[in-house]
Amino acid sequence: MTDPINKTVSVPLTPAEAFTLFTDGIDKWWPGESHSVSAGKNKSPRTIGFDTHKGGKITEITDAGETAIWGTILAYDLGEYLAFTWHPGKSEDQATVVTVRFSATEAGTRCELSHGGFDILGDLADAVSTSYLHGWDMVLGCFVTTAQKPVYA
């Protein structure tokens, strides 16, 4: 069994602001040029979107104008908790699960991301988990950098 990946970052925003940046603002901070379906074809996506309700989708509009579904929102509690399936570039039956908790701190918000369910990938579980172990560091670094810009401070 592959253990979940757990990452924690802090941002100088309220929990509601951090949550909104993570979801509504994903196209502002997500590094689509390196971490997207389009990136696999040496392209950048046109947009990345995050529906703001349970049952909604996380989508990428590729350079060619096609829609790639990255996941489905399982839970959406504004400013507090988010859960979604995760399968960019893969079929839904290969989805893992990501959860993010947003907690107020004296300096802003602590965001705790957990990514698990890799065992559904069978023999690829360890390799994919290891890839995300490092990938989330880069991606969340972009989130923190964007959150620190004056427009969000």
Side-chain angles (χ1 to χ4, degrees), residues 58-77:
I58 305 167
T59 57
E60 169 187 343
I61 305 301
T62 68
D63 182 60
E66 298 169 344
T67 300
I69 297 174
W70 290 8
T72 301
I73 313 318
L74 302 172
Y76 191 95
D77 189 1

Side-chain angles (χ1 to χ4, degrees), residues 26-27 30-33 35-51 57-71 88-89:
I26 193 168
D27 202 39
W30 189 273
E33 66 284 347
H35 290 72
S36 66
V37 173
S38 297
K41 299 174 185 172
N42 295 319
K43 304 279 185 181
S44 290
R46 288 185 188 176
T47 62
I48 300 169
F50 203 116
D51 287 340
K57 303 293 183 194
I58 305 167
T59 57
E60 169 187 343
I61 305 301
T62 68
D63 182 60
E66 298 169 344
T67 300
I69 297 174
W70 290 8

